[in-house]
Amino acid sequence: MKIKWTILVCIINMGFGFAQNPIFTNVFTADPSPHVWPDDPNTLWVYTSHDEPGSNNHYGMTGYHAFSSTDLVNWTDHGRILHLENVDWAESHAWAMDAAFYRGQYYLIYCMKEAGIGLFRTGIARSDSPQGPFTDLGYVKGVEFGQDPALFIDDDGTPYLYWGHDRKCFAAELNEDLMSIKPETYVDLTPQLTHVFEGPWVHKRKGKYYLTYPGLTPRRWPEKMFYAVADKPLGPYEFKDVFIDDFEGQSGTNHGGTVTFKGKDIMFYHSAWMSGGLSETRSSMADYLKYDKNGDIIPIVPSKEGLGNAKRTRTTLLLEAENGFAAGGELYNVFVDTYIKGYSGKGYVTNFDNPYDHVSILAQVAKPAKYRFIVSYASPDGDSNHDILINSHIYREFKFPQTKTFKEIDFGLVDLKAGDNLVRIFKKDWKPSKGDIAIDYIKLVQVFEDEQ
Ligand code: FUB
């Protein structure tokens, strides 16, 4: 019976193609911010905020994720890249963010409510790699009610900040350290942006500046996406039109940005397709963006196919062991080293020499599901045995055969629950092994029901 059902699912998929929207189905994401960084034109990066499963409002949002892909089908979720816990001036509301590459480093610009005051500030964090983790630098001075920031670096290297909330939108040039605005450049764009509510995003095309934004018509919620065009980054902007109207399964909010990847323009935005329509537990969407001969945006009708109907997207959660703590996990009585060459990222975790020494990583997922559990490790001096704990479930004693160089080992399928999962590699009992293990990264590969 099971075989027949699997064949039927395959036939259906062959005949109609796989849906690629929502684009990330492993975790609930919102406010997607897509980028191609200048040093790597073959990789598309998408930075998102994160909705807790079943939360249905935005008050409990706490952190951000980064995704990357080279083919728009296979995606890597680099896990949690920044969290409220890493931002000492903030207390809540990790709402929309954007990212930028500026003077050789990667920046995340985001909004959170300031501790003790409860008003939005625009925070800025830096990393030397696009996947983070990011280190908070403080909030941008001169920005009041700094919700939904977007950081646009013009071709001449000048940084501009846009932000908007509650039917208002503002912009200003930033000082070179990105930590404050130039007050003399501050402009209130609200009157130029018909129906604006929040979420400005700027991209440049053929010398024109396009400002896209979620807006509310007099009919109010849900939000639609509108745009306006200008000859200069700070305007004046000419209002154009709506370009993502109401659609079935939308959430109350919409928010996103555009990117040109391998010659094609793509719009990222969000919907409630995965959580079931008009819910505020949201998922990122992507559709191609086209312009007419006058440079006007041709309205997007959200499609199930998304960026291609040949294959469904698959996301692998890739968590570098050395980032464990910053990304929501823990390094307990182990340390980060770089002596054995060939690791990915910035190093590996080693020194598991006492019972319960461990590395744990945080795996945030949308729904209870099975994931393929893969570990990249080296164990140069001999075989090593370790246990894997996922939440409160000890899987079994896993054998890591001797290997002098880093290699991936596939431990098969494991169960993750909706929400936060703590995945821990540790030694339960003291059993001497010949060599100390070095854990490079942990991968959790999405496995669909018809593949199990
Ligand atoms: O994701 C939280 C908030 O919802 C964003 O900051 C708004 O733009 C809306 O998408």
Side-chain angles (χ1 to χ4, degrees), residues 30-31 49 51 58 61 94-96 111 120 147-148 198-199 214 223 253-255 270 280 282:
D31 310 315
S49 54
D51 283 337
H58 314 313
M61 293 172 74
W95 281 16
C111 56
F120 272 113
Q147 189 196 313
D148 288 6
E198 55 189 359
E223 289 176 331
T253 60
N254 204 344
H255 187 129
H270 65 229
E280 283 310 303
R282 300 157 297 173

Side-chain angles (χ1 to χ4, degrees), residues 18-248:
F18 287 110
Q20 284 204 359
N21 269 327
I23 193 157
F24 312 130
T25 51
N26 63 312
V27 62
F28 289 112
T29 57
D31 310 315
S33 157
H35 290 276
V36 174
W37 301 124
D39 56 346
D40 181 8
N42 289 321
T43 304
L44 175 58
W45 288 89
V46 184
Y47 298 82
T48 72
S49 54
H50 172 240
D51 283 337
E52 294 295 335
S55 54
N56 212 25
N57 65 49
H58 314 313
Y59 307 130
M61 293 172 74
T62 54
Y64 305 104
H65 278 235
F67 296 81
S68 65
S69 177
T70 55
D71 61 8
L72 305 178
V73 175
N74 297 292
W75 287 87
T76 300
D77 175 356
H78 299 271
R80 199 171 89 179
I81 54 168
L82 184 76
H83 187 266
L84 270 172
E85 283 168 6
N86 315 121
V87 181
D88 57 11
W89 53 265
E91 67 180 11
S92 67
H93 288 69
W95 281 16
M97 57 36 267
D98 187 16
F101 182 75
Y102 179 68
R103 298 188 174 183
Q105 293 198 290
Y106 300 88
Y107 287 85
L108 199 67
I109 190 143
Y110 46 91
C111 56
M112 292 178 179
K113 289 203 170 178
E114 186 181 359
I117 295 181
L119 296 179
F120 272 113
R121 291 284 188 191
T122 297
I124 189 147
R126 189 168 55 205
S127 175
D128 54 15
S129 48
Q131 68 269 29
F134 287 82
T135 305
D136 174 65
L137 303 173
Y139 58 77
V140 181
K141 305 295 178 301
V143 177
E144 298 289 328
F145 306 107
Q147 189 196 313
D148 288 6
L151 178 52
F152 171 72
I153 313 291
D154 207 349
D155 298 334
D156 64 359
T158 308
Y160 294 93
L161 179 67
Y162 302 80
W163 68 100
H165 73 105
D166 204 10
R167 294 189 188 276
K168 295 182 200 72
C169 181
F170 308 97
E173 191 182 321
L174 285 166
N175 282 307
E176 285 187 10
D177 65 358
L178 307 182
M179 295 308 300
S180 58
I181 62 165
K182 293 185 173 173
E184 67 280 12
T185 66
Y186 171 90
V187 51
D188 180 355
L189 296 175
T190 311
Q192 301 163 29
L193 306 176
T194 308
H195 303 315
V196 69
F197 191 76
E198 55 189 359
W201 169 276
V202 169
H203 70 280
K204 193 175 183 180
R205 179 180 184 265
K206 296 189 177 173
K208 299 265 186 209
Y209 299 84
Y210 287 69
L211 196 160
T212 59
Y213 57 93
L216 292 181
T217 62
R219 196 177 54 88
R220 296 185 60 79
W221 303 87
E223 289 176 331
K224 305 168 196 275
M225 294 298 295
F226 297 87
Y227 77 106
V229 177
D231 292 324
K232 289 186 283 184
L234 295 178
Y237 279 88
E238 180 195 350
F239 174 71
K240 286 291 189 174
D241 213 341
V242 63
F243 73 100
I244 305 181
D245 209 329
D246 290 342
F247 60 96
E248 206 170 320

